[in-house]
Amino acid sequence: MTERVLEISKLHKSYGDHKVLNGVDLDLNGGDVISIIGSSGSGKTTLLRCVNLLEEFQEGVIKIDGREIGYSNSKGKRSKVNNKQVTKDRALTGMVFQSFNLFPHLSAAENIMLALRKVQKKSKKESAEIAQHWLERVGLPDRGSSFPGQLSGGQQQRVAIARAIAMNPKLMLFDEVTSALDPELINEVLDVIKSLAVEGMTMLIVTHEMRFAYEVSKKVIFMNDGVIAEQGTPDEIFKNASSERLTAFLKNTRF
Amino acid sequence: MDFYIDYSVITSSLGILFHALGIDLYMTLFSVVLGTLIGLVVAFALVSERRIFRILSGTYVAVIRNVPLLIIVLFIYFGLPDAGFVFSEIPSFIFALTIYAGAYVAEVFRGGILAIHKGVGEAGMAIGMSNLQIIIFIKIPILIRSTMPALSSTYISIFKDASVAAIISVPELTFHIRKINLETFRTIEAWSTATVFYVVSCFLIAFLLRRVERRVAIPK
């Protein structure tokens, strides 16, 4: 039996009066790949950022491996856990961003090594070996000494994936990771993610690449106005869209 | 009276002048190093989420930047002994120049912090780094590199400002030049010499800092 890795229940998040997430429930088992699609402003990125605790949320519970992260509930009173615990909880998930966000002053290998050394306290040698392993894995075996400014967008994003996954997270979060890329660089990044899926990595993917979502996902979620408006297998979502909103959304996207 | 130029009063005291220049450089080095450390801490306080940090650091920068260096120097040199803290001229001046430099460097760094892409810090958080680790291993290294051009010109200004030490009789370059002027009345020779000393020194400092800047620059 596969274990439940991520459990999101009744997640609510608002900025002031503006409700962004309005009661989201979502579960991921080990090895699951779930894609989230939807128009901008539907809350998909915010959902991912809540799971990585980059955003606070007012209601709801997020559990990883059965343990609540970010908040604690005792005697019905909900409170934020301390910063140290937030940092620990955050490390359970790996996040890859739309804008790559590599550290510009460090080489590709050093980008991967930094947290291995400072957070996981691994030796320099071991960190370098892990970095090299993942650089090879994302198809950049000889770019370890290159700096982000010397790499193409696709290469930077692959380093960013390597940096996140080298920390050995329970769950990988991908936030529109190809949206900032030139069209000809998109596939090299998607291929890396696909190969991780094949290896059984648990992933939650926000994407505008419909064909990719169709091919890689076990389940696709369509978000609208801060709720999961529809969910199902890729075939159910892309071939047999039932709701009017989803049909309208898919009509306006490339497949 | 015939007008003539006679640099012999200068050439006979060249040794003293170079030694005096050394005092300027020495005081500058201390103030720049300490001021940079203060500036780093203050800059992060200026952009802190904690209001109390912003108020304290903002007050420091506002007060120091809005008061002439001369006043700060006189205040510290004549004021602190009254309060029971007695320093000799050079330490007193280094103290004044350091807190002065700290305020200017803080503003340079503040601009640099604001220019760092927000996502870079978030990427650090996402891989499990603490706020302090992000500041030490990510933000400060980026900051030093990106603000190096602006820091260089701040450092050069501070070197020139070391001349203010003449007012409290620190035997630095401007002090000695003025002394030569008063003792020999060779006004043009004295102040043209000062000009050359300062121009050449600043040029060399700029050249050195430029090399550092190139060395630490983020590869593109």
Side-chain angles (χ1 to χ4, degrees):
Chain A
M1 214 185 92
T2 49
E3 80 285 23
R4 171 95 8 120
V5 173
L6 174 69
E7 228 179 308
I8 302 174
S9 49
K10 300 188 185 63
L11 189 64
H12 287 261
K13 154 95 190 161
S14 51
Y15 297 105
D17 287 342
H18 180 60
K19 281 226 147 224
V20 188
L21 296 174
N22 215 342
V24 173
D25 296 278
L26 178 64
D27 295 332
L28 256 85
N29 290 329
D32 277 0
V33 177
I34 295 187
S35 293
I36 307 175
I37 60 173
S39 47
S40 57
S42 61
K44 10 182 239 309
T45 290
T46 306
L47 175 61
L48 233 57
R49 291 173 60 89
C50 285
V51 176
N52 199 228
L53 300 179
L54 288 173
E55 301 284 348
E56 298 181 4
F57 45 95
Q58 288 82 12
E59 276 176 60
V61 173
I62 299 178
K63 286 183 181 175
I64 290 179
D65 277 353
R67 189 178 61 78
E68 179 169 13
I69 60 164
Y71 297 85
S72 64
N73 281 292
S74 63
K75 295 171 195 148
K77 201 172 165 289
R78 179 178 189 267
S79 56
K80 263 190 85 172
V81 298
N82 63 35
N83 281 344
K84 214 169 169 183
Q85 189 60 41
V86 168
T87 302
K88 272 189 187 160
D89 288 348
R90 195 177 272 138
L92 296 169
T93 56
M95 176 115 172
V96 184
F97 302 85
Q98 181 176 343
S99 49
F100 326 143
N101 298 346
L102 291 182
F103 310 131
H105 63 299
L106 297 178
S107 70
E110 288 166 342
N111 260 275
I112 302 171
M113 290 165 65
L114 183 63
L116 290 170
R117 300 201 60 198
K118 304 301 176 191
V119 178
Q120 296 189 348
K121 312 286 181 200
K122 289 188 159 67
S123 71
K124 191 172 180 182
K125 184 166 171 285
E126 190 185 358
S127 305
E129 284 165 7
I130 295 173
Q132 185 57 31
H133 166 79
W134 283 107
L135 281 170
E136 282 167 22
R137 191 59 195 66
V138 299
L140 299 166
D142 48 7
R143 299 313 296 266
S145 57
S146 301
F147 284 80
Q150 300 166 330
L151 299 170
S152 73
Q155 291 171 330
Q156 287 187 55
Q157 194 60 296
R158 285 187 278 155
V159 174
I161 293 172
R163 177 178 66 182
I165 207 162
M167 296 297 288
N168 201 18
K170 304 274 181 198
L171 164 72
M172 282 289 287
L173 307 166
F174 293 90
D175 183 18
E176 299 187 27
V177 294
T178 58
S179 296
L181 292 175
D182 291 337
E184 75 270 22
L185 301 176
I186 290 177
N187 281 331
E188 64 187 61
V189 173
L190 296 184
D191 287 344
V192 167
I193 301 175
K194 276 183 198 164
S195 69
L196 295 173
V198 171
E199 285 178 8
M201 187 75 215
T202 313
M203 303 196 274
L204 193 54
I205 302 171
V206 169
T207 185
H208 288 297
E209 297 292 326
M210 298 304 154
R211 176 161 291 281
F212 166 70
Y214 178 75
E215 288 170 3
V216 79
S217 317
K218 179 185 169 198
K219 185 161 122 183
V220 177
I221 281 169
F222 171 63
M223 281 192 72
N224 193 41
D225 286 339
V227 295
I228 295 179
E230 211 160 323
Q231 54 186 311
T233 64
D235 275 326
E236 285 167 348
I237 294 292
F238 290 110
K239 301 283 160 76
N240 306 304
S242 49
S243 72
E244 214 171 285
R245 276 187 187 143
L246 177 55
T247 317
F249 171 74
L250 290 175
K251 205 182 265 177
N252 288 319
T253 55
R254 284 174 299 117
F255 189 79
Chain B
M1 189 176 112
D2 287 335
F3 176 76
Y4 64 96
I5 296 286
D6 176 11
Y7 274 96
S8 63
V9 294
I10 301 297
T11 47
S12 62
S13 0
L14 267 184
I16 291 171
L17 293 180
F18 274 108
H19 182 254
L21 178 67
I23 292 176
D24 279 305
L25 289 169
Y26 167 82
M27 294 190 301
T28 304
L29 189 67
F30 256 92
S31 304
V32 156
V33 170
L34 296 174
T36 301
L37 293 176
I38 292 173
L40 262 181
V41 173
V42 172
F44 280 99
L46 285 170
V47 299
S48 168
E49 286 171 9
R50 300 268 293 271
R51 210 170 111 87
I52 181 71
F53 288 166
R54 289 202 308 273
I55 290 175
L56 289 174
S57 57
T59 307
Y60 162 67
V61 171
V63 169
I64 298 301
R65 287 209 311 168
N66 292 323
V67 174
L69 175 60
L70 185 57
I71 305 294
I72 300 173
V73 169
L74 293 175
F75 196 155
I76 287 174
Y77 184 64
F78 293 112
L80 284 190
D82 279 359
F85 301 97
V86 182
F87 292 108
S88 57
E89 291 79 8
I90 291 181
S92 168
F93 184 76
I94 289 175
F95 182 43
L97 194 58
T98 297
I99 60 170
Y100 180 76
Y104 280 87
V105 170
E107 276 298 299
V108 170
F109 280 146
R110 185 178 70 89
I113 295 172
L114 295 179
I116 296 177
H117 190 275
K118 180 166 155 275
V120 171
E122 287 188 343
M125 290 162 80
I127 48 177
M129 297 179 77
S130 67
N131 282 332
L132 190 62
Q133 286 179 322
I134 290 170
I135 287 179
I136 293 174
F137 299 114
I138 302 173
K139 291 194 174 167
I140 289 179
I142 294 176
L143 202 55
I144 304 259
R145 290 163 165 84
S146 66
T147 55
M148 203 57 214
L151 273 184
S152 296
S153 71
T154 304
Y155 291 165
I156 289 168
S157 284
I158 289 167
F159 167 68
K160 289 186 293 175
D161 289 338
S163 61
V164 172
I167 202 74
I168 55 170
S169 304
V170 173
E172 52 77 64
L173 185 63
T174 302
F175 176 84
H176 274 293
I177 292 288
R178 194 177 55 163
K179 193 156 163 262
I180 291 171
N181 178 19
L182 295 177
E183 287 171 358
T184 67
F185 300 103
R186 304 310 311 166
T187 307
I188 290 178
E189 291 84 343
W191 295 107
S192 64
T193 302
T195 303
V196 170
F197 265 76
Y198 278 111
V199 167
V200 172
S201 304
C202 288
F203 187 83
L204 289 175
I205 295 171
F207 176 77
L208 280 175
L209 289 172
R210 201 55 180 268
R211 292 193 62 155
V212 174
E213 186 185 319
R214 271 205 293 270
R215 171 153 294 193
V216 302
I218 293 170
K220 286 222 164 56

